[in-house]
């Protein structure tokens, strides 16, 4: 906090982000790029980003959608079996490779059916120092247990590939938080919504499609563990919004798509949340420093200033409804 009571965040980073393509990207990319200095762009397009050519074309599309904003997109490839030559060619252009269990979430049909089938590529990734980013849910399990059922896979991977950096994406449970302290090579991202809501907020009263995402929000004690780790700037926990825009007609319908759209409100809401818990001094680490250290990245620096000013979250950004639409927040990016 500086003398004017504004809060200035140095180089805020969003380490798990869905930009989509085409018109949707033109809508959402500038919103992230206005508040963040960089982010990790997820590859679950249709078809997935799983070749150097697609990656480069996608990165170009992103750069033009971000217009004049200073924003460093850190690209990922969609996990499949890659040859050593393919990995060598792409190694310096990506921050990691994202593994999805088949069917676990939006556009994951081409994900893996077992960790065993992924091992040869994972071993090459370890040798080349390419981080493995994981959607850690067992899609066969009961929905509330899917992350917990997946945790032994993290333990196994962490033990068998000790030099591989593994990021547990969008963790939602106490069990996942505790894995961070048990395995040196495990790291994690956590979203805004999982620091704020439980399953009750999604389906405990009237159903809230705009809070529905994968992994689903869990129990109060899970949220408390995540929040405690974030508010204390756990050195292996990074902010990753998992901002996942879907057009309204795909959310407010029978068969609601999974994904919560938070890009334009994430930073002010994080400030509000950390401020509320008297932890504002920890926010810089959670939303920037930890990620830059963990991934050893040097995005172009940018300072983002927020002022205590009441702001009503718009009901829509284009054809997308954000989390907490219509609610007031007390911080605004200026
Ligand atoms: C994400 C999406 O819509 O792309 N959805 C979600 O519920 N989080 C995919 C993902 O990260 O699981
Ligand atoms: Zn995601």
């Amino acid at each position: 906090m500086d003398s004017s009571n504004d809060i200035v965040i140095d180089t805020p980073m969003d380490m798990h982000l869905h930009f989509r393509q085409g018109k949707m990207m033109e809508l959402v990319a500038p919103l992230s790029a206005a508040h963040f200095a960089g982010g990790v762009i997820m590859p679950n397009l249709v078809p997935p980003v799983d070749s150097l050519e697609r990656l480069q074309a996608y990165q170009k599309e992103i750069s033009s959608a971000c217009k004049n904003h200073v924003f460093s997109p850190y690209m990922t490839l969609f996990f499949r079996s890659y040859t050593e030559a393919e990995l060598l060619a792409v190694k310096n252009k990506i921050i990691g490779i994202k593994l999805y269990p088949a069917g676990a979430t939006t556009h994951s049909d081409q994900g893996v059916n077992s960790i065993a089938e992924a091992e040869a590529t994972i071993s090459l990734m370890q040798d080349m120092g390419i981080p493995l980013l994981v959607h850690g849910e067992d899609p066969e399990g009961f929905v509330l247990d899917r992350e917990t059922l997946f945790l032994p896979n993290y333990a196994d991977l962490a033990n068998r590939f000790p030099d591989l950096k593994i990021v547990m994406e969008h963790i939602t449970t106490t069990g996942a938080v505790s894995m961070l302290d048990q395995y040196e090579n495990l790291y994690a991202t956590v979203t805004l919504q999982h620091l704020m809501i439980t399953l009750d907020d999604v389906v405990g009263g009237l159903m809230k499609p705009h809070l529905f995402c994968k992994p689903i929000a869990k129990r109060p004690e899970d949220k408390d563990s995540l929040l405690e780790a974030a508010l204390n700037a756990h050195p292996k926990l990074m902010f990753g919004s998992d901002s996942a825009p879907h057009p309204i007609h795909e959310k407010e319908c029978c068969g609601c798509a999974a994904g919560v759209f938070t890009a334009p409100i994430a930073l002010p809401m994080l400030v509000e949340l950390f401020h509320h818990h008297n932890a504002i001094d920890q926010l810089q680490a959670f939303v920037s420093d930890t990620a830059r250290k963990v991934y050893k990245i040097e995005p172009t620096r940018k300072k983002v200033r927020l002022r205590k000013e009441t702001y009503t979250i718009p009901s829509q950004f284009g054809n997308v409804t954000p989390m907490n639409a219509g609610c007031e927040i007390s911080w605004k990016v200026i």
Side-chain angles (χ1 to χ4, degrees), residues 8-322:
V8 177
I9 311 278
D10 177 11
T11 316
M13 301 295 290
D14 184 343
M15 302 309 283
H16 182 134
L17 188 50
H18 297 270
F19 265 179
R20 314 300 192 207
Q21 286 183 279
K23 287 250 168 304
M24 181 62 94
M25 185 198 279
E26 283 170 30
L27 171 72
V28 301
L31 297 171
S32 285
H35 289 190
F36 291 90
V40 173
I41 312 299
M42 290 299 161
N44 59 332
L45 307 184
V46 186
V49 181
D50 67 352
S51 69
L52 178 58
E53 294 67 38
R54 273 186 67 68
L55 185 103
Q56 286 176 321
Y58 191 34
Q59 185 160 8
K60 228 168 135 186
E61 210 185 317
I62 290 169
S63 299
S64 96
C66 290
K67 307 212 172 80
N68 293 328
H69 293 291
V70 171
F71 185 85
S72 305
Y74 288 94
M75 305 302 291
T76 59
L77 274 191
F78 192 95
F79 190 98
R80 61 168 170 82
S81 291
Y82 290 100
T83 64
E84 189 170 0
E86 284 176 311
L87 292 180
L88 275 173
V90 82
K91 178 178 163 346
N92 294 330
K93 299 179 172 62
I94 57 174
I95 195 165
I97 299 183
K98 175 75 183 289
L99 184 148
Y100 294 88
T105 188
T106 307
H107 306 327
S108 61
D109 304 355
Q110 294 187 50
V112 302
N113 292 303
S114 72
I115 298 293
E117 81 181 41
E119 281 179 11
T121 298
I122 291 176
S123 175
L124 289 170
M125 289 168 62
Q126 170 173 254
D127 296 346
M128 291 184 203
I130 302 174
L132 176 69
L133 284 48
V134 183
H135 183 112
E137 287 195 286
D138 176 350
E140 313 266 279
F142 176 66
V143 68
L144 282 177
D145 298 335
R146 286 178 192 168
E147 182 170 290
T148 303
L149 289 169
F150 193 87
L151 295 182
N153 292 303
Y154 282 130
D156 197 44
L157 286 168
N159 280 327
R160 295 186 30 240
F161 301 99
D163 296 328
L164 178 71
K165 202 167 268 181
I166 303 165
V167 184
M168 305 186 285
E169 294 295 337
H170 43 50
I171 58 171
T172 60
T173 57
T174 302
V177 175
S178 60
M179 302 266 306
L180 290 173
D181 299 322
Q182 291 167 39
Y183 299 90
E184 209 183 310
N185 52 335
L186 284 186
Y187 302 84
T189 58
V190 66
T191 72
L192 173 70
Q193 67 266 24
H194 293 113
L195 297 176
M196 297 188 66
I197 66 167
T198 69
L199 185 60
D200 253 0
D201 296 292
V202 189
V203 292
L206 295 179
M207 197 184 70
K208 302 282 176 26
H210 299 294
L211 296 180
F212 171 65
C213 66
K214 301 288 179 73
I216 193 95
K218 305 288 189 315
R219 309 182 68 86
E221 48 271 38
D222 293 306
K223 187 195 76 174
D224 292 347
S225 305
L226 297 161
L227 192 55
E228 192 197 330
L231 294 174
N232 286 295
H234 189 293
K236 296 170 85 185
L237 184 65
M238 305 170 276
F239 176 64
S241 70
D242 193 16
S243 179
H246 294 276
I248 288 182
H249 71 272
E250 289 180 16
K251 293 292 288 179
E252 297 181 1
C253 63
C254 176
C256 163
V260 176
F261 180 56
T262 53
I265 54 144
L267 199 61
M269 287 192 68
L270 281 174
V271 168
E272 180 153 293
L273 183 68
F274 277 62
H275 202 262
H276 175 76
H277 290 279
N278 289 321
I280 199 68
D281 292 347
Q282 308 299 327
L283 182 58
Q284 176 63 40
F286 176 62
V287 79
S288 181
D289 304 355
T290 303
R292 289 187 282 125
K293 270 185 223 153
V294 166
Y295 278 111
K296 300 190 169 64
I297 49 172
E298 292 179 0
T300 304
R301 303 294 279 263
K302 145 168 141 183
K303 295 205 161 148
V304 178
R305 179 177 288 267
L306 295 101
R307 181 154 298 162
K308 199 154 196 314
E309 204 176 293
T310 303
Y311 167 73
T312 304
I313 299 174
S315 59
Q316 287 178 223
F317 289 83
N319 61 344
V320 185
T321 299

Side-chain angles (χ1 to χ4, degrees), residues 316-334:
Q316 287 178 223
F317 289 83
N319 61 344
V320 185
T321 299
M323 177 177 163
N324 287 7
C327 297
E328 280 188 355
I329 38 177
S330 37
W331 292 88
K332 198 169 179 231
V333 173
I334 54 164

